[in-house]
Amino acid sequence: MMFDFFENNPLELEKNALILYPNFFDKTRSDKYFIDLLGSVDWQQHYLTLYGQKIPFPRLMCWMGQQGASYSFSGNTFQPLGWDSTVLSIKKELEEVLNTEFNSVLLNLYRNGQDSMSWHADDEPELGAEPIIASVSLGADRTFAWKPKYGGSSKKVTLPHGSLLVMKAHFQSQFLHALPKAKHVTHHRINLTYRFIRPKGSTTAFFIK
Ligand SMILES: O=C(O)CCC(=O)C(=O)O
Ligand SMILES: [Mn+2]
């Protein structure tokens, strides 16, 4: 196990709920993961249907994970793709360090600063009451913002290449988060959010922001 707690200096951004490990993966490994995933993942454009209009999500995505669970959102239903070897090895490492288990991951590709994710919480019932979500960032630095759901000002932090952001406990029930557009960013960023989806019959409803 290459992870060293003291080298990594986790930052507690919200007490017991939002923890950032700025250098979780060293530069060599982060570069390799970024290049591997950019080439090997089946990056897809999905659409949101709103009042009969098809609106492209402002980023490319890929669902990956345990076979069998189908995901439905915005009029789409599909099976998650099987594990890519890089995605799987990152999963194993995260599970070991965080002492938990993940069975799916949402991969997002933000092609430049015009791609983004709007305010939301990952609070779908399939994730359970206080889900632990491990979010790995590779590529361009981007700002992550969060704010209390029921009033209060927003905060932000930069998510660097090779960082790990852990969202847990009351983070999804009490806060919203977003990845705002960033005018001057011209490079790609890949984000992986590892999750544990509770099996619920043969289909799993999922809502995308
Ligand atoms: O790209 C990010 O850092 C945020 C991703 C996110 O919030 C999500 O996939 O639910
Ligand atoms: Mn999220």
Side-chain angles (χ1 to χ4, degrees):
M1 177 78 260
M2 290 145 274
F3 183 78
D4 180 335
F5 239 87
F6 297 100
E7 292 273 305
N8 268 274
N9 278 333
L11 300 169
E12 198 169 35
L13 302 170
E14 288 292 339
K15 196 160 174 44
N16 193 40
L18 188 65
I19 319 288
L20 177 63
Y21 302 80
N23 307 300
F24 190 79
F25 297 118
D26 66 23
K27 181 158 180 345
T28 309
R29 272 217 292 163
S30 303
D31 289 353
K32 184 183 178 333
Y33 287 162
F34 178 76
I35 292 163
D36 284 357
L37 293 176
L38 202 55
S40 66
V41 172
D42 178 14
W43 297 108
Q44 304 153 0
Q45 176 71 67
H46 290 293
Y47 297 85
L48 176 80
T49 306
L50 207 63
Y51 305 113
Q53 284 225 312
K54 265 180 86 178
I55 300 163
F57 285 101
R59 58 193 182 272
L60 302 182
M61 298 184 230
C62 180
W63 284 104
M64 212 178 268
Q66 188 178 293
Q67 293 302 285
S70 69
Y71 295 90
S72 303
F73 62 88
S74 309
N76 306 298
T77 299
F78 58 94
Q79 298 291 332
L81 295 184
W83 294 109
D84 163 274
S85 62
T86 301
V87 177
L88 191 61
S89 68
I90 297 173
K91 168 176 124 74
K92 286 179 180 158
E93 188 157 350
L94 294 173
E95 287 176 332
E96 197 174 315
V97 170
L98 300 173
N99 191 27
T100 191
E101 197 186 317
F102 300 110
N103 63 5
S104 58
V105 62
L106 173 61
L107 295 105
N108 286 298
L109 174 61
Y110 302 88
R111 291 158 289 189
N112 56 44
Q114 292 311 298
D115 277 354
S116 62
M117 191 177 295
S118 54
W119 288 108
H120 69 280
D122 296 294
D123 55 3
E124 290 79 19
E126 296 74 3
L127 292 167
E130 297 203 323
I132 175 159
I133 298 178
S135 170
V136 171
S137 294
L138 301 166
D141 283 4
R142 291 291 295 261
T143 300
F144 177 90
W146 73 100
K147 64 180 179 186
K149 270 187 191 173
Y150 307 107
S153 49
S154 65
K155 297 182 195 171
K156 57 190 184 181
V157 71
T158 299
L159 299 181
H161 185 44
S163 65
L164 168 66
L165 182 69
V166 178
M167 299 181 262
K168 60 179 181 165
H170 56 283
F171 190 72
Q172 305 300 339
S173 62
Q174 299 299 314
F175 293 88
L176 299 173
H177 58 277
L179 199 93
K181 286 190 196 304
K183 257 193 196 142
H184 303 295
V185 174
T186 53
H187 288 95
H188 291 4
R189 169 178 180 266
I190 292 173
N191 176 258
L192 304 91
T193 45
Y194 289 86
R195 303 143 188 258
F196 186 84
I197 307 292
R198 294 156 169 230
K200 200 179 70 178
S202 58
T203 54
T204 304
F206 233 88
F207 306 95
I208 295 276
K209 296 91 192 173

